[in-house]
Amino acid sequence: MKQLIYVILLSILLSTACNSSKEINISKTLQDNRQTEELEEINISKTLQDNRQTEELEEINISKTLQDNRQTEELEEINISKTLQDNRQTEELEEINIRKILQDNRQTEELEAQFFDISEENKQGFALPGLDHGLIQSPINVLTKSVEHVDSRTITVRYKDEVNAVANLGHTIQLYFAEGSTISAHGKTFQFKQMHFHTPSEHQLDGMTYPMEMHIVNAAEDQENGRIEYLVVSILFKMGGENKFISDFRDLIPEEIHSVHNIQAGRVRLSDLLMVTRKDKSEEGLYFYKGSLTTPPFTESVNWYIDKHTYEASPEQIHTIEKIEGHNARQIQEIHERVIEGS
């Protein structure tokens, strides 16, 4: 009986202890749940705070991007404005250059017209030599064996090597120099004016006509009487390799007659033509004689210097120029009593 009572009491005690343990566990679980909720609230708060900071940074970045875009647009507007201004200035300079070239041509024609009836121009052709214009007419046939060799015939060239325009004049292709280049000879200084072409050549060497000739025209005005004296350098061409000097301006020649095309400084250089290697001494030096213009009014005021070296140009280059200007060479004229000098 006593044993039964002990068993009952022990069972009651174990049941009470178990209930206490359950209460403790429930209390701990509730406490853990509260801590978890607090941590979740903290995380949610931190997440919201991070989101707000991210949004603020994005707003700052958007604001900065918009500001950068505005600055870029302003710079682009400034650049566009400057480009338009530069283009206008370039166009104005080109118009000034073209007007000046045309004005120089008119002045030259007016000066020449003082001595010649311009209606005679159409009668030029390959007219036979005559005395209509004097005894020292050009071009001539240089007989090299009869040349009187001298050492005093030298020319001094000071030029910027700036070809600034090319013109299609119908009867010839003409290149223009920038101001400031000169040639000095026999005590006078001549200003570079222009270069033009003749197809075929006007001058002959020992009776030989070349497919093309270029004249480098320089002029000096007499301050006392206003008359113009010329110094013209003649360059003879034969068919051969392509000529860089001609290649550099060939595609710039205007298609329309009496049109001028400006050339960027440095694009076309006369030195590319003249700075060639002579094969031997026979190609060095110049022939000199006193003559005339080979076009109306055939004024007898030209100091002619014919380069002894024969330059090369490709058949295509020569044909291109000939196609534009046609046959524009004057007939050979009598030498009469003139002496041809060589240096």
Side-chain angles (χ1 to χ4, degrees):
M1 187 67 178
K2 287 182 180 180
Q3 290 180 349
L4 180 59
I5 294 170
Y6 287 142
V7 170
I8 293 170
L9 288 173
L10 182 59
S11 177
I12 292 169
L13 288 172
L14 287 173
S15 176
T16 304
C18 184
N19 289 335
S20 298
S21 178
K22 286 180 179 179
E23 289 176 359
I24 291 170
N25 286 336
I26 290 169
S27 174
K28 187 174 184 304
T29 298
L30 291 173
Q31 184 178 3
D32 289 342
N33 287 340
R34 280 196 299 274
Q35 290 176 345
T36 299
E37 289 174 355
E38 289 173 358
L39 285 172
E40 287 177 351
E41 289 177 359
I42 291 170
N43 287 335
I44 290 169
S45 175
K46 187 174 185 304
T47 299
L48 292 172
Q49 183 178 2
D50 289 344
N51 287 341
R52 280 196 298 274
Q53 290 176 344
T54 300
E55 290 174 355
E56 289 172 358
L57 287 172
E58 287 177 350
E59 288 178 359
I60 292 170
N61 287 334
I62 290 170
S63 176
K64 188 175 184 305
T65 300
L66 292 173
Q67 183 179 2
D68 290 343
N69 287 341
R70 281 195 298 272
Q71 291 175 343
T72 301
E73 290 173 356
E74 289 171 359
L75 287 172
E76 287 177 350
E77 288 177 359
I78 292 170
N79 287 334
I80 290 170
S81 176
K82 187 175 184 304
T83 300
L84 292 172
Q85 183 179 2
D86 291 343
N87 287 341
R88 282 195 297 271
Q89 291 174 344
T90 301
E91 290 173 357
E92 289 171 359
L93 287 173
E94 288 178 350
E95 288 178 0
I96 290 170
N97 286 334
I98 290 172
R99 283 199 300 271
K100 187 175 186 306
I101 288 167
L102 294 174
Q103 182 180 5
D104 289 344
N105 283 342
R106 283 195 296 272
Q107 289 174 346
T108 301
E109 290 172 357
E110 289 169 0
L111 286 168
E112 292 176 346
Q114 294 174 12
F115 310 100
F116 178 72
D117 181 358
I118 202 66
S119 65
E120 291 293 317
E121 182 175 358
N122 294 330
K123 300 179 183 179
Q124 178 191 346
F126 279 87
L128 293 174
L131 300 179
D132 292 344
H133 303 291
L135 298 177
I136 58 170
Q137 287 292 294
S138 298
I140 63 170
N141 174 28
V142 177
L143 299 173
T144 59
K145 295 295 184 182
S146 302
V147 169
E148 182 178 313
H149 293 279
V150 296
D151 295 327
S152 59
R153 287 294 177 186
T154 58
I155 59 177
T156 302
V157 180
R158 296 184 180 87
Y159 72 109
K160 298 178 179 180
D161 205 1
E162 292 183 12
V163 177
N164 62 5
V166 59
N168 177 355
L169 300 183
H171 64 278
T172 191
I173 303 303
Q174 193 154 290
L175 299 165
Y176 297 91
F177 289 99
E179 292 183 356
S181 298
T182 63
I183 288 184
S184 298
H186 42 83
K188 290 187 177 181
T189 298
F190 298 81
Q191 302 293 324
F192 272 65
K193 291 299 181 182
Q194 45 92 350
M195 297 176 286
H196 63 267
F197 293 85
H198 293 274
T199 49
S201 72
E202 295 195 306
H203 287 90
Q204 295 178 356
L205 297 182
D206 295 327
M208 181 182 294
T209 299
Y210 292 82
M212 187 167 70
E213 181 175 350
M214 184 179 79
H215 293 163
I216 304 174
V217 180
N218 310 272
E221 183 177 355
D222 191 307
Q223 297 300 319
E224 293 182 1
N225 56 31
R227 293 181 69 89
I228 296 176
E229 183 177 355
Y230 297 94
L231 186 156
V232 181
V233 179
S234 168
I235 304 292
L236 297 172
F237 288 89
K238 64 182 179 181
M239 289 188 180
E242 186 172 279
N243 188 290
K244 181 182 185 306
F245 170 72
I246 296 175
S247 294
D248 287 343
F249 73 81
R250 183 175 60 178
D251 293 338
L252 302 178
I253 301 172
E255 294 183 3
E256 186 177 349
I257 295 176
H258 299 301
S259 296
V260 180
H261 188 289
N262 282 334
I263 297 176
Q264 184 179 1
R267 174 164 181 175
V268 179
R269 295 184 179 277
L270 183 58
S271 57
D272 289 333
L273 171 67
L274 300 180
M275 301 302 289
V276 296
T277 303
R278 272 64 172 170
K279 293 180 180 179
D280 52 56
K281 289 187 177 180
S282 66
E283 295 186 349
E284 297 178 358
L286 303 160
Y287 299 113
F288 169 81
Y289 77 98
K290 294 285 288 186
S292 71
L293 298 174
T294 64
T295 55
F298 308 114
T299 310
E300 294 180 333
S301 61
V302 181
N303 302 281
W304 280 99
Y305 287 85
I306 304 172
D307 196 331
K308 291 182 178 180
H309 177 74
T310 304
Y311 296 77
E312 290 187 10
S314 70
E316 292 78 15
Q317 290 176 320
I318 293 173
H319 291 155
T320 296
I321 293 175
E322 182 184 29
K323 185 178 179 181
I324 295 172
E325 66 184 22
H327 287 225
N328 61 348
R330 190 187 188 197
Q331 176 69 310
I332 293 297
Q333 304 294 304
E334 289 286 352
I335 294 178
H336 295 294
E337 301 299 323
R338 283 178 287 181
V339 175
I340 314 303
E341 299 178 355
S343 60

